[in-house]
């Protein structure tokens, strides 16, 4: 039974390390290395039984992940794209169409922006229905807009 445990942990480690070819990312190979480490400890008699084996595997996995994760990320790569998280920047300087007149003064109107109607505030001047406007920012749920020059 003892050699079965060593062989089981070694086989599991080999399978996990080979799985890295299918699931790249640098994590699975480290989990496989922890399995190989447990198989070695079982073979040397440093651990006995399933509870000690699982505990050693868990601790070895954490230590290997913390120690070598950045190295494997550099070797394997991965998705390093960081998207824009500021919605205000996404709408800035975009064009919208006036659906309900805006102004004069602080009178709000409505604009169609990306296929959706939004409440809109202007710069105090009257902006007629059908005019193109440029989105400046968002104030609560209303878009703050200005008329497009040249229209």
């Amino acid at each position: 039974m003892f050699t079965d445990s060593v062989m089981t942990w070694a086989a599991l480690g080999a399978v996990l390390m080979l799985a890295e070819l299918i699931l790249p990312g640098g994590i699975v190979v480290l989990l496989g290395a922890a399995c190989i480490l447990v198989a070695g400890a079982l073979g040397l008699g440093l651990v006995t039984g399933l509870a000690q084996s699982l505990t050693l595997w868990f601790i070895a996995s954490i230590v290997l992940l913390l120690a070598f994760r950045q190295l494997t990320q550099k070797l394997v790569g991965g998705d390093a794209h960081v998207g824009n998280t500021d919605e205000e920047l996404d709408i800035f300087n975009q064009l919208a169409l006036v659906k309900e007149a805006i102004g004069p003064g602080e009178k709000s109107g409505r604009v169609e922006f990306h296929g959706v109607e939004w409440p809109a505030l202007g710069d105090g001047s009257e902006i007629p229905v059908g005019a193109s406007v440029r989105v400046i920012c968002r104030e609560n749920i209303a878009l703050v807009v200005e008329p497009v020059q040249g229209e």
Side-chain angles (χ1 to χ4, degrees):
M1 172 103 178
F2 177 71
T3 55
D4 290 340
S5 298
V6 173
M7 295 306 289
T8 302
W9 280 101
L12 181 60
V15 167
L16 286 173
M17 293 174 109
L18 288 174
E20 184 68 31
L21 298 172
I22 299 168
L23 303 167
I27 294 176
V28 181
V29 72
L30 296 175
L31 296 177
C35 288
I36 300 295
L37 196 129
V38 171
L42 280 169
L44 294 173
L46 299 174
V47 287
T48 56
L50 183 62
Q52 288 181 351
S53 298
L54 288 173
T55 303
L56 176 61
W57 177 80
F58 182 73
I59 292 170
S61 296
I62 290 175
V63 169
L64 289 172
L65 285 171
L66 290 176
F68 296 108
R69 177 74 172 129
Q70 289 196 350
L71 174 67
T72 57
Q73 279 297 88
K74 286 180 185 177
L75 295 174
V76 175
D79 186 17
H81 174 74
V82 178
N84 180 20
T85 58
D86 190 358
E87 293 174 355
E88 298 291 327
L89 292 176
D90 289 337
I91 66 170
F92 179 72
N93 221 17
Q94 299 287 317
L95 295 178
L97 181 66
V98 177
K99 291 294 191 175
E100 181 183 306
I102 304 168
E106 295 182 17
K107 181 179 176 284
S108 66
R110 295 192 71 76
V111 295
E112 184 177 319
F113 179 65
H114 289 193
V116 179
E117 283 198 20
W118 292 76
L121 302 170
D123 58 0
S125 63
E126 186 172 358
I127 306 172
V129 173
S132 289
V133 290
R134 190 172 309 282
V135 177
I136 303 303
C137 64
R138 192 175 72 202
E139 185 175 313
N140 293 326
I141 62 166
L143 298 177
V144 179
V145 297
E146 69 179 5
V148 174
Q149 300 301 322
E151 286 201 17

